[in-house]
């Protein structure tokens, strides 16, 4: 998608380095950063220079290729793979991508291993772009249906950034929105600010602006009253881990939005590529929920009058803070899942049917 009119993907390999858009600098500065080593890739995932489930999967795949580029000793590759998987705990895409890479690399001789790793990392990214595009084509039908009844702007609420910046391209939750916008359907997006890291305000609103999609940032607690007032036609969010029973684990606050949507009869859709499905964990209580540094709550970042990025403390010095990064929305609150294969009920039967082969 576009930044200042130029098409980008979020990650690519060029001149022996992996290039990423440093998302910690957005929306104030557009910086392309080089990842030269597997350590760089692990750090980029940890400090969220790259974030969003599909993109951290793609970064992990390229991270493993960087490890091989540094040293193709099998012990080093194995240790790098383990560290990449551990770099963030909740999104299943890290493990999914590394497992796929390891499978592809097994039995490949040392002369070819780097080429195969780079090829597979690109395949993972290309596939994500294709799947996210298909999510958009499938989700477009839902927006079209709302528009054909309402005959007026479709108001869509989204949480966090499940946009193209969270994937390789198109996004998950945003892909139906971009497809609708490109088709000329009038859409307007309510963007949850998404404290504490403000992915909604900093990233979703930014990328929608760049694509000229009308949007309004709201505080995280505003969605409820907007739904009561009939000002939300549909919610679409992403997910970091979808269980086979249809429960979805996504950015903290998603659950509360789903409850409000349920109470107000607003359809609540979750958009995902199949790489975020965890077919193994059966009980949501077993999903590892990331707890991040509480300073993400107590400090906020912005630009000062000299356009310099600054961090300021906003809490009392002595106060404790707790920063859980994800929550689980039970399947019963999810209207349906929008995937690359089609739209499915958020249930074991729905997912089984869609992914039977
Ligand atoms: O902590 P983040 O910014 O990585 O969290 C991202 C989300 O919660 C997204 O909604 C999710 O990864 C889906 S991205 C298409």
């Amino acid at each position: 998608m576009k930044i200042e009119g130029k098409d980008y993907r979020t990650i690519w390999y060029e001149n022996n380095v992996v290039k990423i858009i440093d998302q910690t600098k957005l929306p104030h500065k557009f910086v392309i950063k080089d990842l030269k080593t597997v350590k760089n890739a692990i750090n980029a995932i940890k400090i969220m220079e790259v974030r969003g489930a599909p993109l951290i999967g793609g970064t992990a795949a390229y991270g493993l290729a960087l490890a091989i580029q540094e040293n193709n000793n099998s012990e080093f590759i194995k240790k790098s793979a383990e560290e990449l998987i551990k770099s963030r705990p909740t999104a299943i895409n890290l493990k999914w991508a590394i497992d796929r890479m390891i499978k592809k690399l097994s039995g490949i001789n040392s002369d070819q291993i780097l080429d195969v790793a780079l090829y597979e990392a690109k395949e993972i990214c290309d596939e994500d772009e294709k799947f996210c595009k298909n999510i958009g084509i499938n989700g477009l039908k839902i927006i079209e249906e709302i528009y054909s009844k309402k005959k007026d702007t479709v108001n869509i609420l989204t949480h966090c950034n499940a946009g193209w910046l969270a994937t390789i391209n198109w996004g998950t939750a945003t892909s139906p929105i971009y497809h609708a916008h490109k088709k000329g359907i009038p859409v307007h997006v309510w963007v949850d600010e998404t404290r504490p890291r403000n992915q909604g305000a900093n990233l979703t609103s930014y990328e929608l602006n760049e694509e000229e999609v009308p949007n309004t940032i709201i505080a995280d607690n505003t969605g409820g009253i907007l739904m009561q007032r009939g000002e939300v036609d549909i919610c679409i969010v992403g997910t970091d881990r979808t269980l086979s029973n249809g429960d979805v684990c996504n950015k903290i606050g998603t659950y509360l939005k789903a409850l409000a949507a349920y109470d107000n009869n607003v359809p609540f859709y979750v958009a995902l590529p199949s790489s975020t499905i965890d077919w193994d964990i059966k009980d949501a209580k077993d999903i590892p929920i990331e707890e991040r540094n509480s300073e993400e709550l107590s400090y906020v970042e912005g630009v000062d009058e000299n356009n310099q990025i600054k961090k300021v403390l906003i809490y009392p010095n002595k106060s404790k803070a707790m920063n859980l990064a994800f929550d689980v929305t039970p399947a019963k609150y999810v209207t349906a899942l929008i995937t690359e294969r089609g739209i499915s009920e958020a249930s074991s039967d729905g997912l089984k049917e869609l992914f039977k082969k």
Side-chain angles (χ1 to χ4, degrees):
M1 306 295 284
K2 290 196 171 25
I3 293 177
E4 289 180 8
K6 189 173 167 208
D7 268 314
Y8 286 93
R9 299 213 307 184
T10 49
I11 189 165
W12 65 98
Y13 182 80
E14 194 181 304
N15 298 331
N16 302 329
V17 300
V18 174
K19 304 264 186 191
I20 56 160
I21 298 168
D22 180 353
Q23 300 193 19
T24 60
K25 304 283 188 300
L26 290 173
H28 306 295
K29 292 190 168 38
F30 178 71
V31 177
I32 293 174
K33 190 167 175 173
D34 291 352
L35 307 179
K36 296 180 180 158
T37 62
V38 62
K39 271 214 170 91
N40 291 162
I42 292 166
N43 189 51
I45 296 169
K46 281 190 176 159
I47 67 169
M48 295 172 67
E49 288 170 344
V50 285
R51 26 69 48 207
L55 177 55
I56 59 179
T59 309
Y62 271 120
L64 197 65
L66 287 174
I68 293 166
Q69 189 169 266
E70 284 169 79
N71 175 357
N72 69 13
N73 163 285
S74 63
E75 262 315 294
F76 181 70
I77 298 172
K78 190 165 164 263
K79 206 164 166 287
S80 300
E82 284 162 8
E83 280 178 26
L84 283 161
I85 291 175
K86 280 195 303 198
S87 57
R88 283 192 79 188
T90 301
I92 186 73
N93 299 60
L94 285 175
K95 186 173 176 325
W96 171 86
I98 293 294
D99 285 352
R100 177 163 156 174
M101 291 287 288
I102 296 289
K103 198 168 159 203
K104 195 79 191 177
L105 297 173
S106 82
I108 303 290
N109 68 42
S110 59
D111 294 348
Q112 289 171 324
I113 194 163
L114 177 59
D115 286 347
V116 175
L118 287 169
Y119 180 85
E120 192 60 10
K122 185 169 181 299
E123 280 285 296
I124 285 173
C125 291
D126 290 350
E127 183 185 278
D128 187 69
E129 175 167 11
K130 192 173 92 198
F131 284 3
C132 285
K133 187 172 181 189
N134 284 344
I135 289 169
I137 294 167
N138 294 328
L140 169 64
K141 294 174 208 142
I142 300 166
I143 298 177
E144 276 178 329
E145 213 174 290
I146 296 172
Y147 181 60
S148 74
K149 285 191 193 128
K150 189 180 177 190
K151 298 191 171 41
D152 202 353
T153 303
V154 180
N155 287 305
I156 302 155
L157 183 142
T158 192
H159 191 67
C160 194
N161 173 259
W164 76 267
L165 289 168
T167 64
I168 305 305
N169 213 342
W170 290 103
T172 57
T174 55
S175 188
I177 299 171
Y178 287 132
H179 278 81
H181 178 70
K182 283 179 195 294
K183 222 182 155 184
I185 297 173
V187 288
H188 164 259
V189 186
W190 294 114
V191 178
D192 279 354
E193 181 188 31
T194 319
R195 285 280 293 148
R197 288 193 65 120
N198 298 329
Q199 290 96 325
N202 290 345
L203 304 174
T204 305
S205 184
Y206 169 80
E207 61 162 87
L208 291 171
N209 291 343
E210 294 296 309
E211 287 288 330
E212 298 179 10
V213 177
N215 69 91
T216 308
I217 299 168
I218 51 175
D220 291 328
N221 296 327
T222 309
I225 188 170
L226 291 178
M227 292 188 214
Q228 287 173 325
R229 286 180 174 176
E231 291 181 49
V232 181
D233 297 303
I234 176 176
C235 301
I236 315 180
V237 300
T239 162
D240 280 73
R241 196 184 285 241
T242 311
L243 299 196
S244 59
N245 67 2
D247 289 353
V248 289
C249 182
N250 190 48
K251 181 52 56 196
I252 194 84
T254 302
Y255 170 52
L256 290 179
K257 234 22 76 74
L259 288 180
Y262 189 77
D263 191 44
N264 290 283
N265 287 318
V266 172
F268 190 90
Y269 286 91
V270 179
L272 60 131
S274 48
S275 54
T276 56
I277 303 174
D278 182 338
W279 297 101
D280 295 329
I281 289 187
K282 300 290 173 232
D283 188 334
K285 288 192 194 76
D286 296 330
I287 299 175
I289 300 288
E290 180 176 17
E291 185 171 348
R292 295 185 63 85
N293 195 316
S294 64
E295 288 195 357
E296 291 184 350
L297 278 156
S298 51
Y299 285 81
V300 289
E301 241 179 51
V303 282
D304 66 12
E305 59 284 2
N306 301 317
N307 207 29
Q308 293 306 307
I309 295 180
K310 263 212 172 118
K311 230 175 160 183
V312 293
L313 176 68
I314 56 165
Y315 284 1
N317 255 328
K318 289 185 182 163
S319 296
K320 279 204 294 189
M322 198 247 243
N323 186 11
L324 289 177
F326 296 94
D327 61 24
V328 178
T329 300
K332 65 178 173 186
Y333 299 119
V334 177
T335 306
L337 303 171
I338 310 171
T339 78
E340 74 270 12
R341 294 219 183 166
I343 295 164
S344 125
E345 192 182 80
S347 68
S348 310
D349 287 349
L351 279 170
K352 248 188 238 152
E353 180 60 26
L354 211 56
F355 291 98
K356 60 186 168 203
K357 53 167 176 50

